[in-house]
Amino acid sequence: MVNLVKNFTNTTNFTNALKVTIAAVLPVVLFAYYGYFEIGMTIAIGAFLTYPSDIPSTLKHKINGVLVASFMVAGANLVINVTYLFPYIFYPFLVVLLFFLSMISVYGQRATMVSFSALLAVSLAFAHLNSGVQMLQHAALMLAGGLFYLLVALVFHFLFPYRYLDLQIAECIKLTSKYLKLRGDLWDVDANRPQIIEKQLHLQVEINLIHENLREIIFRNHSASGSSNQNRKMLIVFITLVEILELALSTSFNHSELHQKFDGNPKVLKTYQNLAYNLATTLKRLSKSVENKTKYFSNMELLENLEQLENSILDYEKDLGKNSVSEGVLMLNNMQHYVQKQIEKIRIVERAFTLAFNAQDIKGKERDLEKFLTPLYYPLSTLRENLSFSSSIFRHSLRLTVTIVAGVVLGKWLPFQNVYWILLTIVVIMRPGYGLTKKRSYERILGTLFGGAIAFGLISIVHQPIAISALAILSMLLGFSFTQINYKIGATFVTMYVVFVYGMLTPNIQDVIQYRILDTLVGAALSFTANYLLWPTWEFLNVRLFLEESIQANRDYLKEISLLYNKKGDAATSYKLARKNAFVKIGNLMASFQRMLQEPKSKQKQSKMIYKLVELNHSLLSSTASLGTYIQTHQTTKASAAFNVVIETVVQNLEMAMASVKSRDFQVDAADATKVDLDIHFTKLKNIRRQELKMHPLLSEAEFESKMQESQLVIEQLIWLVSISKSMIQSAQALNNT
């Protein structure tokens, strides 16, 4: 129990919740002590509304984001109060204001959170409308609340400057560990491999998100403040984790074939699986050490496991005879090479947390970091380009505007006690996608019912104001902590907080709960209905774009790999950018498919065929990365003309698949797809490599085997790439014909 509480309080979500709780509670306590409770509550509301804009970034961007949110929150409250007195002006102005605040989401995540803060401020403005000088005082107090939150956030930043980064790194290590664990699961004889691959795809989405967070923090901090030892250490760890994931993704095995080949010698595969699991276990131990801020002690277990694998390969070769098992030994050597590379990279991560960082580990990795970041600028042209129904944000902005205005009108003409609760519910749960809005509506309603029932039960027993205040603060802290990880639990605690606050202010607590539930139901119903009827953004309409982008990213990555194989040398920045883009796009594709599965069955059109294309994209990325990883980690020989012909064929196939996904009318000429006799080129590759090697009499037997290993691995990946690319053309055509 103690460990659970400790792990929970060590999370980023708890730290963020603690910041906003302190910023909201302190003004209330201080001003209430001197008899100015309303002033303290207004400042607290300003802090609460500004809090969402505090997202991970450099210190400069954090300050700018919170400042902009503070002024927009205060400004939105002021203009609502000023225009409300003039109905003929108010409603047209409200429409324009809501639409503008929604549309600024086109500028990225920070703008989305600032937009969310301002929309919450508009909703809460209806809770207490002011007139005269009170309007300015109220807005000024809300601005003061936002600035006070910024002060609290800065105090946390300087007290724990690297805590968020440490926690994100720990989470990244943990997710990478899970990915390696799933790869180990694939080696079970009776493994459900399609299900495991699906889990890997889902995990890829989470890993991509945390990679983007870490790039934003580490790379921007590196550019802004230079190379501090801590930032350099985290840069080493992050880049190495990306390489570990790439290596894991790139090294694919035909597990069924291997189990058949080693059916009589299962020990060697079991030894390998044990080592694969220990790779994951080592990373998991490391993540816990970073998360709990405990000293990490490396052990030699991985090296011992590697030695056991080497011995089992030697025993296999000795027992069955070298000549008869040469192909099997070659496969096992590839597996051994993979785990050797993974151990080397894990040791780099371990060394970063156990010793002073090694400058050699970061050599050459600090170049062109800014190219991996999304540029931060806000041109007006971006807004103009999105002012059309082809933009999902434009449709969502219209939908949200109409729904909120409908909530205002409904609340005014029907006897609702707290109209702003309807509006808050709409702003909080309404999302561009139908699936997430539906999920949020369900969780919000359940959370409100549970929270209301629990809080009412506690208030019936507890009557002391100090105890109720303590429960309110605790509920607020837990509500904000759980909102990001479990919205239903978060909504439960937030409802409890609201009920406790009203329990201290009014004796009619039953009415408060009743209206809270009613308003939540109305807001959820309006959001759900609007998302279904008003310019809906069904994911099956967008998934083709994500498919096209993923295929294109894989094609560009393959081109960079071909360039590297032909020119040799270190991987250029363009190669790394292409690799990053391929990983990001496959994650976006999988996220789109997940959203599609949350929508009504009638809108999940061609889901099986789309999932097949998702899997093919993932397999293509795996095979492409395998080729790229091998080229980077081996001294490869000169690329032959036959190699380039095969690569060009794969690129052409991918371009045809892209065209087919992009246009339903595109038809592939079967002759174009098979115009190159690839079997001849594969045979040429094998013969060329063997003859080239025989021309070097100084090569030892071990060197000859190593070069032949290169030949076999490269040719296998090329065959696999051609097969996948052809399957993608066929699947894309089938998608158009169904």
Side-chain angles (χ1 to χ4, degrees):
M1 184 64 181
V2 174
N3 286 335
L4 285 175
V5 173
K6 186 179 178 181
N7 290 337
F8 176 70
T9 55
N10 271 338
T11 62
T12 304
N13 291 320
F14 182 83
T15 303
N16 291 338
L18 187 59
K19 286 192 289 187
V20 70
T21 301
I22 291 172
V25 170
L26 278 182
V28 173
V29 172
L30 182 62
F31 281 92
Y33 180 78
Y34 290 102
Y36 299 103
F37 175 80
E38 286 191 6
I39 291 177
M41 183 58 76
T42 306
I43 294 173
I45 290 172
F48 158 73
L49 293 179
T50 305
Y51 150 74
S53 63
D54 183 15
I55 63 173
S57 60
T58 62
L59 182 60
K60 177 184 175 181
H61 293 139
K62 176 194 285 286
I63 293 172
N64 290 342
V66 175
L67 281 175
V68 169
S70 300
F71 280 98
M72 288 191 71
V73 163
N77 179 272
L78 182 60
V79 295
I80 290 295
N81 278 271
V82 169
T83 58
Y84 190 76
L85 300 172
F86 312 99
Y88 292 106
I89 297 175
F90 171 70
Y91 284 102
F93 177 79
L94 179 64
V95 169
V96 173
L97 177 65
L98 291 171
F99 181 73
F100 168 75
L101 292 177
S102 302
M103 279 298 297
I104 62 176
S105 296
V106 298
Y107 292 111
Q109 185 187 9
R110 187 179 300 282
T112 299
M113 301 317 295
V114 171
S115 166
F116 180 65
S117 292
L119 289 168
L120 287 176
V122 170
S123 304
L124 274 175
F126 291 92
H128 189 62
L129 293 161
N130 300 286
S131 60
V133 71
Q134 289 182 337
M135 293 187 296
L136 291 172
Q137 291 175 343
H138 194 79
L141 289 172
M142 293 186 74
L143 176 60
L147 297 177
F148 181 61
Y149 174 80
L150 176 59
L151 176 63
V152 172
L154 289 175
V155 170
F156 269 76
H157 175 81
F158 288 113
L159 285 177
F160 314 102
Y162 298 108
R163 187 58 185 149
Y164 178 81
L165 183 54
D166 287 345
L167 290 173
Q168 287 290 287
I169 284 287
E171 183 66 16
C172 187
I173 296 173
K174 183 163 67 175
L175 291 176
T176 307
S177 167
K178 287 183 179 179
Y179 195 90
L180 296 184
K181 168 67 167 57
L182 287 173
R183 286 184 57 83
D185 292 341
L186 287 168
W187 287 97
D188 288 334
V189 177
D190 55 350
N192 186 340
R193 293 190 179 89
Q195 188 179 69
I196 293 172
I197 291 170
E198 186 175 348
K199 287 180 181 178
Q200 286 181 318
L201 288 169
H202 285 283
L203 192 57
Q204 185 80 49
V205 177
E206 293 182 61
I207 292 174
N208 281 355
L209 288 174
I210 203 163
H211 279 181
E212 283 301 299
N213 279 347
L214 287 170
R215 283 190 189 96
E216 186 70 22
I217 301 166
I218 298 173
F219 291 7
R220 288 202 193 283
N221 278 338
H222 191 85
S223 301
S225 57
S227 302
S228 68
N229 278 345
Q230 178 69 11
N231 204 67
R232 287 182 128 200
K233 181 173 80 171
M234 290 307 183
L235 180 60
I236 292 169
V237 173
F238 171 66
I239 292 176
T240 307
L241 287 171
V242 172
E243 290 172 348
I244 288 172
L245 182 68
E246 181 194 30
L247 190 57
L249 180 68
S250 68
T251 311
S252 54
F253 302 105
N254 188 329
H255 298 87
S256 299
E257 180 183 331
L258 283 165
H259 276 296
Q260 289 176 4
K261 181 171 282 294
F262 297 99
D263 185 48
N265 301 82
K267 179 186 173 183
V268 68
L269 294 187
K270 196 65 182 175
T271 304
Y272 176 83
Q273 185 184 35
N274 183 55
L275 178 48
Y277 278 142
N278 280 339
L279 292 173
T281 301
T282 302
L283 285 179
K284 186 177 180 180
R285 285 179 47 246
L286 188 54
S287 73
K288 286 186 177 295
S289 172
V290 177
E291 187 177 333
N292 297 326
K293 296 184 287 188
T294 57
K295 190 171 182 180
Y296 179 78
F297 295 96
S298 178
N299 59 40
M300 304 301 291
E301 188 176 358
L302 286 178
L303 296 178
E304 292 171 2
N305 293 154
L306 182 60
E307 187 178 352
Q308 290 170 5
L309 178 62
E310 290 172 350
N311 290 334
S312 66
I313 294 173
L314 290 174
D315 290 342
Y316 168 75
E317 188 176 22
K318 182 179 178 182
D319 291 344
L320 299 181
K322 186 174 181 179
N323 293 331
S324 61
V325 295
S326 58
E327 185 180 352
V329 169
L330 191 58
M331 292 177 177
L332 293 172
N333 284 337
N334 285 335
M335 293 159 61
Q336 179 187 343
H337 178 75
Y338 161 73
V339 291
Q340 281 176 328
K341 288 295 178 183
Q342 287 292 38
I343 290 171
E344 287 174 15
K345 295 186 183 303
I346 289 173
R347 295 286 288 169
I348 290 173
V349 179
E350 285 184 324
R351 193 160 60 239
F353 291 106
T354 53
L355 305 168
F357 91 92
N358 187 346
Q360 287 299 116
D361 290 337
I362 201 172
K363 187 178 179 181
K365 296 183 179 181
E366 294 181 291
R367 297 175 301 177
D368 301 324
L369 293 182
E370 67 279 358
K371 292 183 179 179
F372 292 86
L373 297 170
T374 303
L376 290 177
Y377 61 96
Y378 308 101
L380 189 61
S381 58
T382 301
L383 189 63
R384 286 198 302 265
E385 288 167 3
N386 280 273
L387 292 176
S388 71
F389 277 93
S390 61
S391 167
S392 60
I393 293 179
F394 177 81
R395 293 200 298 274
H396 174 65
S397 299
L398 277 181
R399 190 185 311 123
L400 185 62
T401 300
V402 171
T403 310
I404 292 176
V405 171
V408 173
V409 173
L410 192 65
K412 184 175 182 179
W413 293 106
L414 293 178
F416 287 99
Q417 188 181 55
N418 297 308
V419 177
Y420 70 93
W421 275 349
I422 298 176
L423 307 186
L424 283 174
T425 300
I426 293 169
V427 171
V428 169
I429 70 175
M430 199 164 181
R431 292 292 179 268
Y434 170 88
L436 187 54
T437 299
K438 178 183 175 182
K439 183 172 180 284
R440 284 255 173 155
S441 300
Y442 168 76
E443 291 176 341
R444 175 87 172 186
I445 291 169
L446 284 182
T448 301
L449 290 172
F450 292 155
I454 294 169
F456 181 72
L458 288 172
I459 284 182
S460 301
I461 300 170
V462 180
H463 302 288
Q464 292 184 346
I466 294 178
I468 295 175
S469 299
L471 288 172
I473 294 171
L474 180 62
S475 297
M476 182 181 185
L477 178 61
L478 293 175
F480 283 114
S481 298
F482 278 104
T483 296
Q484 296 300 322
I485 52 179
N486 191 316
Y487 185 71
K488 182 167 60 179
I489 295 176
T492 299
F493 281 112
V494 169
T495 299
M496 290 171 64
Y497 161 72
V498 171
V499 173
F500 288 141
V501 170
Y502 274 92
M504 292 184 289
L505 301 177
T506 175
N508 301 321
I509 191 64
Q510 296 92 337
D511 292 342
V512 172
I513 296 174
Q514 174 186 324
Y515 281 109
R516 167 83 175 177
I517 293 172
L518 179 61
D519 293 337
T520 298
L521 289 171
V522 172
L526 285 172
S527 301
F528 183 75
T529 305
N531 256 72
Y532 193 85
L533 298 178
L534 301 179
W535 313 289
T537 306
W538 302 118
E539 202 59 40
F540 78 88
L541 298 172
N542 299 324
V543 74
R544 278 179 175 267
L545 176 62
F546 290 109
L547 275 169
E548 181 189 348
E549 289 179 347
S550 184
I551 298 171
Q552 182 177 0
N554 276 321
R555 180 204 63 185
D556 294 342
Y557 186 22
L558 182 60
K559 283 183 175 180
E560 288 292 333
I561 289 170
S562 176
L563 194 63
L564 181 63
Y565 194 53
N566 278 273
K567 291 189 174 181
K568 311 302 179 187
D570 293 332
T573 300
S574 58
Y575 171 90
K576 296 174 183 177
L577 284 169
R579 177 184 66 186
K580 173 213 165 187
N581 197 40
F583 275 75
V584 169
K585 294 303 182 184
I586 189 67
N588 292 345
L589 174 58
M590 190 60 206
S592 174
F593 183 74
Q594 287 175 354
R595 291 192 296 270
M596 181 179 174
L597 295 182
Q598 293 175 336
E599 295 177 347
K601 291 291 184 183
S602 61
K603 305 301 178 183
Q604 296 179 23
K605 298 181 178 179
Q606 303 169 307
S607 59
K608 290 184 179 179
M609 192 59 65
I610 290 171
Y611 183 67
K612 185 176 180 181
L613 279 165
V614 172
E615 282 191 311
L616 286 170
N617 267 280
H618 185 263
S619 298
L620 181 71
L621 177 57
S622 175
S623 186
T624 305
S626 179
L627 197 57
T629 302
Y630 189 89
I631 292 167
Q632 287 184 87
T633 55
H634 289 75
Q635 289 291 330
T636 55
T637 51
K638 182 181 177 181
S640 64
F643 170 86
N644 290 322
V645 168
V646 175
I647 291 292
E648 287 171 11
T649 302
V650 176
V651 168
Q652 289 172 5
N653 286 348
L654 294 180
E655 287 174 348
M656 282 189 278
M658 263 195 301
S660 190
V661 167
K662 186 175 183 179
S663 173
R664 297 174 187 271
D665 298 326
F666 181 83
Q667 292 296 322
V668 177
D669 186 343
D672 288 340
T674 57
K675 63 184 178 182
V676 179
D677 191 346
L678 295 175
D679 288 338
I680 295 174
H681 290 283
F682 288 136
T683 303
K684 278 184 181 179
L685 279 171
K686 291 178 183 178
N687 293 336
I688 288 171
R689 182 62 68 242
R690 186 171 292 277
Q691 287 181 11
E692 282 178 349
L693 296 177
K694 285 183 177 180
M695 291 173 65
H696 294 276
L698 297 179
L699 282 178
S700 66
E701 186 178 349
E703 289 173 326
F704 182 85
E705 289 298 325
S706 175
K707 298 300 181 184
M708 284 308 297
Q709 179 183 338
E710 173 193 344
S711 176
Q712 179 170 331
L713 189 142
V714 170
I715 292 170
E716 282 179 357
Q717 292 305 325
L718 291 176
I719 293 171
W720 187 227
L721 283 169
V722 170
S723 175
I724 295 171
S725 62
K726 284 183 177 180
S727 296
M728 290 179 79
I729 295 174
Q730 295 166 359
S731 297
Q733 287 286 285
L735 186 66
N736 289 339
N737 296 331
T738 54

